[in-house]
Amino acid sequence: MIIMIREDFREFLRKQGNSIAKYYIPGKALGLNAINDIIKWAKGVERVFGVDLNKIVENPEETQKLLRKINFSNELIDKRKRNFSGAVEAYFEFVSGHELPSEQ
């Protein structure tokens, strides 16, 4: 089951301004395309991994577990792993109001 990313995520990303770069491809121009890409990647995570990001990001440990699953996936190329991971981190920050803590 695919759950749509909340529409106010777009507004959150827009308010990030240049700091959106921490979730985006280094060296690429930021703006509406970056926002649309991050939303597309978040939806891709839900589709490819069959998860509901709204539920996953409620728990930092579950979010870290999903990030490990993305990064160790043999089905994704490295660029897509980075894109998907950045989208999950951005969505976590959007929902929780703070950055994802580093794994211990």
Side-chain angles (χ1 to χ4, degrees):
M1 173 174 70
I2 297 173
I3 306 298
M4 295 302 289
I5 302 300
R6 298 197 322 233
E7 182 57 34
D8 41 348
F9 183 42
R10 182 180 310 278
E11 187 59 28
F12 166 80
L13 293 171
R14 190 173 290 129
K15 288 179 180 175
Q16 295 299 302
N18 286 337
S19 67
I20 195 177
K22 64 184 171 186
Y23 310 118
Y24 200 63
I25 304 165
K28 282 195 82 174
L30 302 175
L32 188 55
N33 286 341
I35 291 169
N36 290 334
D37 284 347
I38 292 170
I39 292 169
K40 175 182 71 177
W41 297 331
K43 290 178 181 179
V45 169
E46 290 187 320
R47 185 181 66 254
V48 170
F49 293 94
V51 297
D52 175 355
L53 279 183
N54 290 309
K55 290 184 180 171
I56 296 285
V57 299
E58 290 176 356
N59 182 310
E61 291 80 20
E62 289 299 313
T63 305
Q64 291 289 5
K65 192 185 312 184
L66 176 59
L67 289 172
R68 282 192 302 277
K69 192 173 184 179
I70 290 168
N71 289 317
F72 291 118
S73 172
N74 292 327
E75 299 173 26
L76 301 175
I77 61 172
D78 286 345
K79 180 181 175 185
R80 197 161 192 206
K81 290 176 185 180
R82 284 191 306 272
N83 296 344
F84 278 14
S85 294
V88 169
E89 290 169 2
Y91 203 68
F92 178 89
E93 186 173 341
F94 160 67
V95 170
S96 70
H98 58 84
E99 288 186 27
L100 182 65
S102 299
E103 274 192 293
Q104 300 299 327

